[in-house]
């Protein structure tokens, strides 16, 4: 099961990383639904190319950490550091799932925007799944 979870996490994280790279270089598919909006439909922030690439690199590093559980040559890290790194990655996704108590996550107040609907149907469940998978890897590692 550990092998399956690490590969599944890696695949999801690589896909998300590639999506962020696509957006950073001008891609439009899904971009309108990736940033929360206020009640009037205005985006709360406009991600810069640099910040989008930073997120992409972070997601790729998370994927490499997952692969390193199975293949130590991917990132030759101390196993203890890797184990707790996996836990930290999971906690990051848990925090994202909980949200900001206004526009993002399980605790959001504003639930009627297109982003909020996507967040409820896809983004938050994905973050909870990634948290659970990372927690299981942490426990089984």
């Amino acid at each position: 099961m550990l092998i399956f979870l690490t590969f599944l996490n890696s695949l999801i994280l690589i896909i998300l990383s590639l999506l962020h790279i696509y957006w950073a270089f001008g891609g439009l598919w899904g971009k309108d639904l990736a940033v929360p909006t206020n009640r009037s439909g205005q985006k709360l922030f406009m991600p810069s190319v640099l910040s989008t690439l930073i997120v992409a690199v972070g997601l790729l590093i998370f994927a490499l950490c997952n692969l390193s559980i199975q293949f130590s040559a991917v990132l030759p890290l101390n196993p203890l550091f890797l184990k707790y790194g996996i836990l930290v990655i999971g906690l990051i996704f848990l925090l994202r799932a909980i949200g900001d108590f206004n526009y993002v996550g399980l605790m959001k107040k504003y639930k009627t925007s297109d982003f909020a609907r996507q967040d409820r149907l896809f983004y938050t469940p994905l973050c909870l799944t990634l948290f659970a998978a990372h927690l299981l890897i942490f426990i089984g590692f």
Side-chain angles (χ1 to χ4, degrees):
M1 182 162 105
L2 196 62
I3 293 172
F4 173 74
L5 288 175
T6 56
F7 281 118
L8 181 63
N9 284 351
S10 298
L11 178 64
I12 291 168
L13 293 167
I14 289 169
I15 290 169
L16 292 175
S17 178
L18 291 172
L19 184 59
H20 281 78
I21 292 168
Y22 166 76
W23 288 334
F25 287 99
L28 298 177
W29 180 83
K31 191 173 185 178
D32 285 342
L33 296 174
V35 176
T37 56
N38 61 19
R39 289 183 180 188
S40 63
Q42 294 177 324
K43 294 191 181 307
L44 295 179
F45 60 92
M46 291 300 295
S48 69
V49 171
L50 179 61
S51 65
T52 304
L53 286 173
I54 289 170
V55 171
V57 169
L59 290 167
L60 187 57
I61 291 170
F62 289 175
L64 294 174
C65 287
N66 274 271
L67 286 174
S68 295
I69 298 291
Q70 298 302 319
F71 306 104
S72 59
V74 174
L75 289 176
L77 299 172
N78 179 318
L80 190 61
F81 179 77
L82 192 57
K83 178 176 180 163
Y84 285 98
I86 289 293
L87 179 61
V88 168
I89 293 168
L91 292 174
I92 289 169
F93 284 106
L94 177 62
L95 289 174
R96 166 52 184 89
I98 292 169
D100 69 348
F101 298 95
N102 287 311
Y103 298 100
V104 175
L106 292 169
M107 305 299 179
K108 66 182 164 285
K109 292 177 191 170
Y110 305 105
K111 301 177 182 186
T112 58
S113 70
D114 289 338
F115 171 85
R117 186 175 61 251
Q118 294 297 317
D119 188 51
R120 182 182 68 252
L121 294 174
F122 300 109
Y123 310 150
T124 297
L126 177 61
C127 288
L128 287 171
T129 301
L130 286 168
F131 162 69
H134 282 87
L135 184 61
L136 289 171
I137 292 168
F138 173 77
I139 292 168
F141 183 54

